[in-house]
């Protein structure tokens, strides 16, 4: 079996951003006079897209929701000391790229939030200058998955990739990459009409890379993300941080 493309969710999969997101929302709403607590956000709203969360919280004015969304993006980097990279998964992806495969981040989150967090983590998008946005889209070379990797794929959809899994040797960044390497592209929530659990985001990344679902492997953590992966027809793994 040849896998040419890996698609990664960002929040909760490639990076543990739970506390940073929670603290940024709490700070944003407290500035606006709302008494949201960390505990309340974690119990009732965590994992919702920003507009859905603010609507359910009781903020009916679309203009106020948009103002708060932008303020949350501005405050988010202040809490990046709590963000943790899923290093076992990331080292696996870096080795995959070093052997000719392609790796994309596919998230329903805000592109601005993803870009900010990636800069903090030292990960760039291949072929782009630091600080730029957009996606590189050259064809995938592919990688034959044998041995332990092939065994993983036989249980795709049921296995759990834990953040404590041992890693292999570290891959040295190529010239022009961030200190922790690069991905080949990013798709965020604004890039497709229908967000997860619809499979559109995954299918669009496959289309841009010229890959089929049978040539794609997806890593996700949330139930809606896993449902989107299942509907895409690709093999997938659940990630637990």
């Amino acid at each position: 079996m040849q896998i040419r493309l890996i698609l990664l969710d960002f929040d909760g999969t490639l990076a543990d951003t739970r506390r940073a997101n929670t603290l940024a929302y709490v700070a944003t709403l407290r500035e606006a006079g709302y008494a949201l607590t960390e505990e309340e956000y974690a119990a009732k709203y965590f994992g919702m897209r920003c507009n859905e969360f603010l609507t359910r919280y009781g903020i009916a004015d679309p203009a106020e929701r948009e103002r708060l969304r932008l303020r949350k993006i501005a405050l988010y980097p202040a809490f990046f000391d709590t963000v943790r990279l899923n290093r076992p998964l990331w080292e696996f992806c870096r080795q995959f790229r070093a052997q000719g495969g392609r790796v994309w981040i596919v998230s329903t989150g805000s592109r601005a939030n993803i870009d900010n967090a990636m800069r903090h983590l030292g990960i760039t998008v291949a072929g782009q200058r630091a600080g730029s946005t957009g996606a590189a889209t050259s064809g995938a070379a592919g990688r034959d998955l044998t041995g332990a990797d092939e065994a993983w794929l036989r249980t795709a959809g049921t296995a759990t990739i834990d953040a404590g899994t041992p890693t292999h040797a570290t891959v040295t960044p190529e010239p022009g990459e961030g200190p922790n390497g690069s991905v080949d592209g990013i798709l965020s929530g604004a890039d497709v009409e229908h967000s997860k659990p619809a499979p559109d985001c995954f299918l669009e990344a496959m289309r841009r890379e010229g890959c089929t679902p049978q040539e794609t492997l997806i890593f996700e953590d949330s139930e809606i993300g896993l449902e989107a992966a299942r509907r895409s027809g690709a093999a997938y793994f659940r990630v637990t941080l």
Side-chain angles (χ1 to χ4, degrees):
M1 177 183 292
Q2 186 179 73
I3 294 295
R4 301 172 59 203
L5 176 64
I6 287 178
L7 303 180
L8 302 168
D9 181 48
F10 188 75
D11 295 298
T13 299
L14 181 58
D16 186 349
T17 59
R18 291 170 291 187
R19 187 124 202 274
N21 270 302
T22 299
L23 292 172
Y25 274 126
V26 168
T28 297
L29 289 174
R30 282 181 179 171
E31 275 189 358
Y34 299 97
L36 179 70
T37 65
E38 290 184 54
E39 294 75 17
E40 181 184 7
Y41 177 75
K44 296 181 179 179
Y45 307 111
F46 186 82
M48 293 182 185
R49 297 181 70 175
C50 184
N51 192 59
E52 180 186 3
F53 153 55
L54 293 174
T55 300
R56 292 197 182 190
Y57 187 71
I59 300 172
D61 181 6
E64 175 68 355
R65 291 199 301 268
E66 178 63 8
R67 185 188 72 79
L68 292 172
R69 184 186 72 84
L70 294 174
R71 182 57 178 157
K72 187 262 182 178
I73 290 172
L75 289 176
Y76 187 43
F79 304 103
F80 278 173
D81 60 335
T82 68
V83 172
R84 298 290 180 267
L85 179 64
N86 184 346
R87 287 204 170 271
L89 175 58
W90 182 236
E91 289 303 321
F92 175 80
C93 291
R94 292 183 69 190
Q95 291 168 51
F96 179 80
R97 287 191 76 240
Q99 296 177 49
R102 305 280 288 181
V103 176
W104 279 57
I105 290 172
V106 179
S107 170
T108 55
S110 158
R111 179 61 190 266
N113 281 339
I114 295 168
D115 287 339
N116 284 339
M118 284 182 58
R119 278 192 292 270
H120 172 75
L121 294 171
I123 300 172
T124 58
V125 178
Q128 292 183 18
R129 297 185 303 274
S132 65
T133 60
T137 57
S138 62
R143 175 187 173 191
D144 286 322
L145 295 179
T146 58
D149 291 331
E150 186 176 314
W152 275 16
L153 285 173
R154 282 199 297 270
T155 58
T158 60
T160 294
I161 306 303
D162 191 274
T165 303
T167 61
H168 302 292
T170 300
V171 178
T172 303
E174 295 292 329
E177 288 190 326
N180 281 325
S182 297
V183 295
D184 296 294
I186 300 174
L187 278 178
S188 63
D191 294 318
V192 293
E193 182 177 358
H194 303 292
S195 61
K196 302 172 187 176
D200 300 33
C201 53
F202 293 131
L203 294 173
E204 175 63 14
M206 295 178 210
R207 185 193 68 79
R208 294 189 188 191
E209 284 290 345
C211 291
T212 67
Q214 291 70 36
E215 296 170 314
T216 303
L217 182 60
I218 298 172
F219 290 87
E220 266 284 358
D221 71 303
S222 69
E223 292 303 324
I224 63 169
L226 291 164
E227 176 64 12
R230 186 190 66 77
R231 293 186 193 179
S232 78
Y236 58 92
F237 286 107
R238 179 193 297 270
V239 174
T240 301
L241 293 178

